[in-house]
Amino acid sequence: GQQLNQNPQSMFIQEGEDVSMNCTSSSIFNTWLWYKQDPGEGPVLLIALYKAGELTSNGRLTAQFGITRKDSFLNISASIPSDVGIYFCAGPIQGAQKLVFGQGTRLTINP
Amino acid sequence: NAGVTQTPKFQVLKTGQSMTLQCAQDMNHEYMSWYRQDPGMGLRLIHYSVGAGITDQGEVPNGYNVSRSTTEDFPLRLLSAAPSQTSVYFCASRIENSPLHFGNGTRLTVT
């Protein structure tokens, strides 16, 4: 089936550093979604992207919809302890009946 | 507004036992789905439903049954649990063309 590949799979950073992660696919997506999962909870939507080249921000988070429509990027500026968690990219397939997810990027922050 | 409610939060089963994971939403969402989350594999779709009386298979449906007799409820049944079904299970729902809302998960261990 269609796969979304996220990189890196894990990150260990210092508080205050900027973070970059990406998601790639062999197939074209018309929508890219970025979710965050806090420990013990379900994923929560951070940013939704609907157009190739689109750049969207949500506070310290910025996400981009790649021009090729086969990738997306998420950046976090000036990380803080509450940014810890797992970040997932996701995209709809089969007429948006199904949502497929990447493997996740686990972010750990050293104070 | 409770959102998506999953019960139980934790469950331990022995191989061969059956059980039902409950999911209820109070947002009048037509679409509901079940995912399982395993380390390094992200979230994988088990089954989904686009409305009462309609269900369909996702990426990993084997060993699981679902039904959708009401808009609010979407139970997931394991008829004969296997150790490979040890995972964290998430239920999610949405209205058309909107992002998924996730429950807080059920952590299942099969020994």
Side-chain angles (χ1 to χ4, degrees):
Chain A
Q2 288 173 282
Q3 272 191 312
L4 297 180
N5 296 309
Q6 283 187 247
N7 282 294
Q9 292 191 22
S10 61
M11 302 182 74
F12 297 85
I13 63 169
Q14 297 294 124
E15 184 178 350
E17 288 185 14
D18 296 342
V19 173
S20 291
M21 60 188 78
N22 67 72
C23 187
T24 60
S25 172
S26 58
S27 304
I28 287 174
F29 280 81
N30 293 317
T31 299
W32 284 95
L33 305 171
W34 285 94
Y35 283 82
K36 184 196 175 195
Q37 183 182 28
D38 289 326
E41 298 185 10
V44 174
L45 182 69
L46 296 173
I47 294 177
L49 302 161
Y50 300 105
K51 186 177 176 182
E54 179 181 353
L55 190 70
T56 297
S57 294
N58 178 3
R60 293 176 295 104
L61 278 62
T62 301
Q64 184 163 22
F65 192 140
I67 293 292
T68 66
R69 295 162 63 192
K70 293 183 178 182
D71 54 14
S72 181
F73 309 88
L74 178 68
N75 296 312
I76 305 172
S77 62
S79 59
I80 59 177
S82 62
D83 291 334
V84 165
I86 305 177
Y87 292 81
F88 291 101
C89 63
I93 60 172
Q94 293 189 222
Q97 295 289 5
K98 302 179 181 180
L99 192 64
V100 292
F101 284 79
Q103 310 97 315
T105 294
R106 183 181 293 273
L107 179 63
T108 302
I109 297 175
N110 299 315
Chain B
N1 190 339
V4 179
T5 302
Q6 290 185 238
T7 55
K9 288 188 181 346
F10 301 95
Q11 182 71 50
V12 179
L13 291 177
K14 293 185 178 178
T15 297
Q17 286 185 315
S18 62
M19 80 157 294
T20 299
L21 280 64
Q22 302 291 345
C23 176
Q25 53 89 12
D26 60 358
M27 298 173 283
N28 202 31
H29 286 176
E30 290 293 325
Y31 183 96
M32 296 186 74
S33 55
W34 277 101
Y35 286 84
R36 60 176 289 173
Q37 182 179 15
D38 302 291
M41 302 190 74
L43 292 132
R44 293 181 293 167
L45 182 64
I46 305 172
H47 285 286
Y48 67 99
S49 168
V50 298
I54 306 169
T55 64
D56 208 342
Q57 295 182 346
E59 301 171 73
V60 288
N62 293 340
Y64 307 96
N65 285 343
V66 291
S67 60
R68 186 89 181 273
S69 55
T70 67
T71 299
E72 294 78 20
D73 301 297
F74 191 42
L76 179 71
R77 296 186 186 84
L78 284 72
L79 297 180
S80 179
S84 60
Q85 294 178 304
T86 292
S87 187
V88 182
Y89 291 84
F90 287 98
C91 179
S93 71
R94 64 171 171 82
I95 58 173
E96 190 173 353
N97 297 326
S98 73
L100 282 174
H101 293 259
F102 283 86
N104 282 332
T106 293
R107 186 175 295 274
L108 176 68
T109 302
V110 183
T111 61

